[in-house]
């Protein structure tokens, strides 16, 4: 007779996997992907290393899952800002970019790992996929802004990719050189640049 998992076993496995990812994200913020090791993570989770491999076949699989877990959190934050119905589209976009940048600078090791740290091919593929998710969210907002005439006509797909690339690239230097950074100024200037690009007029970020 074939073995069938009970609901209780599935729930326990899911809880264990969520605990692994939560601890891995905490560890990522301390050491980045390069320092994220299976043995140290297993110890932090109070699991045998062999048990950890039942959930993730190797470090690349673990890092990919951690990347997706962490980035889902950031995508949700951006989406919430872009969905604020009481605010005009340019303000929503500015708030989404500001939120992204502030969260990155509050957790610089994690942000560097997610944005720019050299990683395995599977994680690079996940980065590309999630950049498209960000871009699609901004493209929808830009299209709405064009429809409402709060933004000038433009190619929303190109503009959204430019926004995502600009804010990510603007953060890479500050993340790598924290001692040279004045965070508020870096965020204001980056967001101002992005808003001026899509509105075709000077923009003042408060």
């Amino acid at each position: 007779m074939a073995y069938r998992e009970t609901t209780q076993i599935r729930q326990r496995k899911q809880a264990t996997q969520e605990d692994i990812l939560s601890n891995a994200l905490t560890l990522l913020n301390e050491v980045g992907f390069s320092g994220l090791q299976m043995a140290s993570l297993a110890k932090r989770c109070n699991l045998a290393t062999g048990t950890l491999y039942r959930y993730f076949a190797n470090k690349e699989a673990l890092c990919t899952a951690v990347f997706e877990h962490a980035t889902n959190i950031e995508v949700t934050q951006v989406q919430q800002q872009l969905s604020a119905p009481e605010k005009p589209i340019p303000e929503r976009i500015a708030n989404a970019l500001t939120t992204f940048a502030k969260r990155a600078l509050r957790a610089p090791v994690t942000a560097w790992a997610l944005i720019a740290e050299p990683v395995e091919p599977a994680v690079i593929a996940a980065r590309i996929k999630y950049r498209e998710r960000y871009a699609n969210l901004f493209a929808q907002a830009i299209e709405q802004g064009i429809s409402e005439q709060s933004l000038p006509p433009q190619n929303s797909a190109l503009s959204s990719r430019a926004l995502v690339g600009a804010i990510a690239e603007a953060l890479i230097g500050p993340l790598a050189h924290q001692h040279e950074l004045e965070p508020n100024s870096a965020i204001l200037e980056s967001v101002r640049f992005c808003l001026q690009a899509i509105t075709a007029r000077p923009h003042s970020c408060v």
Side-chain angles (χ1 to χ4, degrees), residues 13-44:
K13 284 184 174 180
Q14 182 178 353
T16 299
Q17 181 159 329
E18 290 173 355
D19 185 62
I20 291 170
L21 289 174
S22 178
N23 278 286
L25 184 54
T26 300
L27 192 57
L28 181 71
N29 196 43
E30 298 171 4
V31 297
F33 282 120
S34 63
L36 185 57
Q37 301 299 325
M38 301 291 273
S40 57
L41 176 59
K43 183 177 181 180
R44 183 175 290 231

Side-chain angles (χ1 to χ4, degrees), residues 8-133:
Q8 186 176 13
I9 291 173
R10 285 195 299 271
Q11 290 175 343
R12 187 167 68 244
K13 284 184 174 180
Q14 182 178 353
T16 299
Q17 181 159 329
E18 290 173 355
D19 185 62
I20 291 170
L21 289 174
S22 178
N23 278 286
L25 184 54
T26 300
L27 192 57
L28 181 71
N29 196 43
E30 298 171 4
V31 297
F33 282 120
S34 63
L36 185 57
Q37 301 299 325
M38 301 291 273
S40 57
L41 176 59
K43 183 177 181 180
R44 183 175 290 231
C45 296
N46 294 314
L47 296 173
T49 303
T51 301
L52 189 58
Y53 278 101
R54 295 178 191 171
Y55 290 87
F56 303 100
N58 49 47
K59 181 181 175 180
E60 185 171 9
L62 171 66
C63 289
T64 303
V66 174
F67 176 90
E68 292 175 344
H69 175 67
T71 308
N72 274 326
I73 296 171
E74 302 310 316
V75 169
T76 298
Q77 294 291 323
V78 167
Q79 191 169 23
Q80 287 175 351
Q81 295 297 327
L82 291 175
S83 301
E86 71 282 3
K87 296 178 181 177
I89 292 295
E91 185 177 347
R92 294 188 209 178
I93 292 174
N95 289 344
L97 293 169
T98 300
T99 295
F100 179 87
K102 283 184 175 180
R103 288 176 61 83
L105 296 178
R106 282 201 299 265
V109 177
T110 295
W112 174 260
L114 299 179
I115 295 171
E117 183 181 353
V119 288
E120 298 294 331
V123 184
I124 293 174
R127 270 185 186 155
I128 294 170
K129 180 180 75 173
Y130 275 86
R131 280 207 175 195
E132 281 300 301
R133 281 190 61 184

Side-chain angles (χ1 to χ4, degrees), residues 95 98 102 188 192 203-206:
N95 289 344
T98 300
K102 283 184 175 180
L188 285 172
R192 182 181 292 115
H203 184 81
S204 177
C205 295
V206 179

